[in-house]
Amino acid sequence: METAEFIRILEREGRSLASAAERAGTDAKVPTCPQWQVRDLLRHTGVVHRWATAFVAEGHTAFRPMADEPALDGEELLAWFRSGHRRLVDTLDSAAPDVECWHFLPAPSPLAFWARRQAHETAVHRFDAEAARGGTHGEIARDFAAELGPDFAADGIDELLRGFHARAKSGARSAEPRVLRVRAGDTDGAVWTVRLSEEPPAAERGEQGPADCEVSGPAADLYLALWNRLPFPRVTGDASVAELWRQRSAVD
C-alpha cells in the first residue's frame, strides 16, 4: 500500500472514531479494553497522534516520550481529539517524502512508517470506540471489514507479526518451541509462519514447514483477533498455542 492510502485511511478512521465516541458518550465502558472508558480511549489516541505529529513536523531524530494525557472530558475532549487528529493528517500530507525523523519499525522511509503506523493505531481504536456504542462484536467487525478491506487488514497483520513482535520487548514467548500459522483466506499470499520460543517471535511470510496450530479466517477478523479484540475465527491443531498468543501478546 502507498503512503497516501494510509493517510486517507487515517483521516477517515479518526473521524469515525470521534463520531463513535461522541455517540457512545465519554462515560461509556470500552468492552474491548475493559480497563477503559471512552474518555481514556480518546485521551490515549489523542496523545499518540500528537506524539507522532511532533516527530514528523519537528524532525526529531531521537526518541521522545509521549506527553501526559489531558484532564479533559466531554465536548472539550472531543474537540481536543479532533484537533490533534486533523493536525496529524495535515502534517503527514504536507511532509517532504524524504523527511528524516525517529521511527521504531523498519520502513521504506520515516514518512511511510508514521502514515502506516498511525492508520493502524487509529483503525484498531476506532473499533474500540464502535464497541463502546453497543451491538455485537460480530456486527461491528463486519462493518469494519467492509470499510477497511482485506489488503489493509493483511498489512496490519504483517506490521504486528513482523514488526512489533520482532522487537526484544515482545512478550509472546514460549518455553517450548511452538509454531503458529496465520492464514487470511480472502487475501492472496496472506499466510505467516510464526516461530515461538524463549526469544522474540520470528515471523515469516508463507508456509515455512509444519505448524502446531493454525488460525485462519478473513483478514479483518484475524487482524482484530491478533490485536486481542475478537476471538480467532477458526483454530485448528493445538489450540493452546493460540491461547498462548492471546495471553502473552499484548503490545506496550
Side-chain angles (χ1 to χ4, degrees):
M1 295 180 65
E2 298 296 324
T3 296
E5 293 179 81
F6 287 119
I7 296 173
R8 296 285 71 78
I9 291 170
L10 164 63
E11 182 173 30
R12 185 191 65 225
E13 291 300 294
R15 290 198 309 266
S16 296
L17 191 164
S19 294
E22 187 169 29
R23 291 194 295 273
T26 56
D27 287 338
K29 298 287 188 182
V30 182
T32 47
C33 300
Q35 73 278 24
W36 277 358
Q37 292 174 284
V38 167
R39 64 174 58 87
D40 303 302
L41 176 63
L42 288 169
R43 290 168 182 171
H44 165 78
T45 313
V47 164
V48 171
H49 285 171
R50 285 165 168 76
W51 180 68
T53 297
F55 285 109
V56 178
E58 301 169 23
H60 301 301
T61 56
F63 170 79
R64 292 163 64 97
M66 292 187 201
D68 293 335
E69 295 180 5
L72 298 173
D73 204 352
E75 292 182 3
E76 284 187 306
L77 177 57
L78 281 157
W80 173 86
F81 173 85
R82 285 177 166 127
S83 173
H85 168 250
R86 183 71 257 163
R87 181 157 185 257
L88 172 59
V89 171
D90 290 346
T91 295
L92 294 172
D93 255 337
S94 62
D98 60 351
V99 63
E100 291 293 332
C101 62
W102 180 84
H103 58 292
F104 61 88
L105 297 178
S109 70
L111 181 61
F113 165 81
W114 284 112
R116 181 196 200 196
R117 174 82 290 277
Q118 291 308 300
H120 287 298
E121 175 84 12
T122 307
V124 170
H125 286 316
R126 194 264 284 189
F127 182 82
D128 295 331
E130 298 286 1
R133 293 177 54 209
T136 70
H137 289 184
E139 292 169 345
I140 298 165
R142 281 194 294 274
D143 292 342
F144 181 88
E147 290 185 25
L148 290 176
D151 290 341
F152 178 77
D155 181 82
I157 295 170
D158 196 73
E159 185 204 42
L160 180 64
L161 296 180
R162 298 203 300 152
F164 274 102
H165 285 291
R167 301 182 301 166
K169 62 169 61 178
S170 173
R173 304 185 187 216
S174 173
E176 177 185 359
R178 311 294 280 164
V179 179
L180 175 67
R181 183 102 67 223
V182 178
R183 185 187 305 276
D186 57 350
T187 311
D188 289 343
V191 180
W192 295 262
T193 300
V194 186
R195 301 187 188 282
L196 300 168
S197 68
E198 293 182 338
E199 299 299 316
E204 302 174 82
R205 293 296 292 256
E207 295 190 43
Q208 307 294 333
D212 298 293
C213 175
E214 178 170 304
V215 295
S216 58
D221 289 354
L222 286 172
Y223 175 57
L224 292 169
L226 289 162
W227 277 106
N228 291 323
R229 264 55 181 191
L230 291 177
F232 286 113
R234 184 166 183 259
V235 178
T236 55
D238 185 350
S240 71
V241 181
E243 183 59 24
L244 181 150
W245 178 275
R246 186 165 296 285
Q247 292 178 359
R248 302 184 185 179
S249 65
V251 172
D252 295 329

